[in-house]
Amino acid sequence: MTTTHHDAPDAKPVDVNDPKLSRFDVVKEGLRRDEIELITYESQFQGTNSKAEKRVVRNIALLFIIAGLAAFAFLGFYIFWPWQFELGNTTSDYFTPLLGISLAISLFAIGFAILAWAKKLLPHEVSIQARHDGASPTDEQKITGQTMIFVGDELNQGVQRRPLLKGAIGFGLAPIGLVAAAPLIGGLIENPHKGEHPDLFTTGFSAAKNGGNLVRLTRDDGTPIRPEDVSTGGQMTVFPGIPHGATNEYADSPTLLIHLRADDAAETRRNADADRRNQGSMWGNYVAYSKICTHAGCPASLYEQQTNRLLCPCHQSQFLITRNAQPIFGPATRRLPMLPLGVDEEGYFVATSDYKDTVGPDFWERP
């Protein structure tokens, strides 16, 4: 459509409810009432289906196709690429970068396609509007609605008469919807309860990770810990005494072992024994809690000895040690799991069982 207007703002009003008016006539009336002078509204190409127009359509279609291919690549990487952590330089190291790169290419391609469409394919319009105040009457609201529909029709007609562009849009945008759904659906594919020792419910302190034997608490160098190694009021980060227990292979297992003062230990034991899951989990004046914050998985490791609070530095959640590590401040809503403690025949700390609560942030099964 090629249109050039120099309508006077004070021209005779038009009845916008007149069924004989075209949608573009209603749009022009809206422009007049808004004191907008439409200088020009014309196609950017000479004629229909010109070589220049076809070239622009091909370029935009190519961008949508690239977006679709990159989105399908994202889905392929998400579903089929090895993702589980392994020591050394392995293909799983590239899982996250591949997801980021493929998704970035897809979104950037769609963005450039939309920009190119707006700049190169839509009709060229030049208009001048005078500013004014005041609310819009009912008929002007109708004009606005018709204007929006008109713009939609322009886009729709532009797509309908360009089959290549129509197919490219579908190919480019449909996979984006799948990409948005993939992380939500993907988390439901694997049953978290599968097997005798489900991953989400098992840490390195499970006896199943140690050939059925109780797992010792060790330092990061693998040396076991005796009660006398932790001074009164002190604390120590401990790991499961199994191969690779202090590595990312067991990133859910870091634990804070705390030697409480006698009065604090008595209060902690009283509260723990009143809880069916934590009952009997302390050994002497010692208590151990997961170091993984239940809000976002950060290390909750700042121990305030005088207040018996454990702080997470990421989002300032605070847990009260003497009250089963219940959250008392910050965004965390669930307490830190307590590790049941014991001492073996050689005098070293052991975990008498794995954690009885799931470690780390909440997941879909928990409120």
Side-chain angles (χ1 to χ4, degrees):
M1 179 184 294
T2 302
T3 307
T4 302
H5 289 280
H6 297 282
D7 295 336
D10 56 352
K12 184 179 178 180
V14 173
D15 182 8
V16 298
N17 294 307
D18 186 350
K20 296 180 180 179
L21 295 180
S22 68
R23 185 165 289 129
F24 188 66
D25 291 332
V26 176
V27 172
K28 288 191 297 180
E29 173 62 12
L31 295 175
R32 188 198 66 78
R33 295 188 184 188
D34 281 340
E35 299 179 359
I36 299 175
E37 183 180 1
L38 184 61
I39 305 300
T40 183
Y41 186 84
E42 61 185 5
S43 172
Q44 300 192 52
F45 308 100
Q46 296 295 327
T48 303
N49 293 326
S50 64
K51 290 184 177 180
E53 180 182 359
K54 290 181 178 180
R55 182 170 60 251
V56 172
V57 169
R58 286 196 300 269
N59 290 338
I60 296 175
L62 177 61
L63 287 171
F64 278 114
I65 291 172
I66 291 173
L69 291 174
F72 278 123
F74 175 95
L75 293 172
F77 293 138
Y78 184 83
I79 297 172
F80 301 110
W81 195 271
W83 58 270
Q84 291 182 316
F85 173 80
E86 298 178 16
L87 295 176
N89 184 13
T90 64
T91 54
S92 62
D93 296 342
Y94 304 100
F95 178 71
T96 301
L98 287 173
L99 292 183
I101 292 171
S102 57
L103 183 59
I105 292 174
S106 180
L107 295 179
F108 272 113
I110 288 178
F112 283 123
I114 293 173
L115 287 175
W117 193 329
K119 293 288 186 180
K120 302 293 185 181
L121 206 55
L122 290 181
H124 177 65
E125 176 184 336
V126 177
S127 57
I128 302 174
Q129 179 180 21
R131 292 180 177 272
H132 60 87
D133 298 322
S136 300
T138 303
D139 56 348
E140 291 195 9
Q141 294 178 12
K142 179 174 182 178
I143 290 171
T144 301
Q146 292 293 310
T147 302
M148 296 175 65
I149 296 174
F150 174 77
V151 173
D153 283 348
E154 285 282 292
L155 292 172
N156 183 56
Q157 291 174 10
V159 172
Q160 292 298 331
R161 67 184 183 85
R162 299 178 178 112
L164 174 62
L165 191 57
K166 181 179 180 180
I169 291 173
F171 182 83
L173 295 184
I176 295 296
L178 298 176
V179 166
L184 300 176
I185 300 175
L188 305 178
I189 294 176
E190 187 72 21
N191 182 359
H193 302 283
K194 184 176 65 176
E196 185 178 355
H197 303 285
D199 287 340
L200 293 180
F201 300 87
T202 306
T203 72
F205 288 105
S206 171
K209 304 289 186 179
N210 195 33
N213 300 314
L214 297 182
V215 179
R216 283 179 172 176
L217 278 59
T218 63
R219 300 175 178 84
D220 57 0
D221 61 1
T223 57
I225 301 167
R226 298 178 184 273
E228 56 268 24
D229 293 337
V230 186
S231 59
T232 303
Q235 52 85 23
M236 180 183 297
T237 298
V238 298
F239 304 89
I242 58 177
H244 311 299
T247 69
N248 284 341
E249 186 173 348
Y250 295 98
D252 57 354
S253 300
T255 300
L256 203 65
L257 175 64
I258 305 172
H259 186 180
L260 296 167
R261 295 184 294 268
D263 292 344
D264 296 330
E267 180 182 357
T268 304
R269 181 176 294 101
R270 185 166 54 252
N271 290 326
D273 288 344
D275 184 276
R276 64 181 183 85
R277 299 184 73 80
N278 287 343
Q279 188 175 25
S281 293
M282 294 182 63
W283 186 89
N285 293 344
Y286 296 83
V287 67
Y289 289 108
S290 170
K291 201 174 178 179
I292 311 300
C293 182
T294 54
H295 169 236
C298 298
S301 56
L302 302 180
Y303 173 52
E304 287 187 347
Q305 182 187 131
Q306 299 302 317
T307 61
N308 287 307
R309 294 185 180 188
L310 196 59
L311 282 68
C312 177
C314 292
H315 306 98
Q316 287 71 56
S317 292
Q318 298 182 20
F319 305 88
L320 189 58
I321 297 300
T322 56
R323 199 189 302 165
N324 292 304
Q326 290 285 355
I328 57 174
F329 182 82
T333 59
R334 191 171 62 89
R335 68 187 184 182
L336 297 174
M338 183 184 292
L339 183 68
L341 292 177
V343 172
D344 63 17
E345 62 278 3
E346 296 183 39
Y348 294 111
F349 273 119
V350 294
T352 58
S353 75
D354 201 354
Y355 286 102
K356 297 178 182 178
D357 290 313
T358 49
V359 169
D362 292 348
F363 62 98
W364 63 276
E365 289 189 309
R366 293 198 298 264

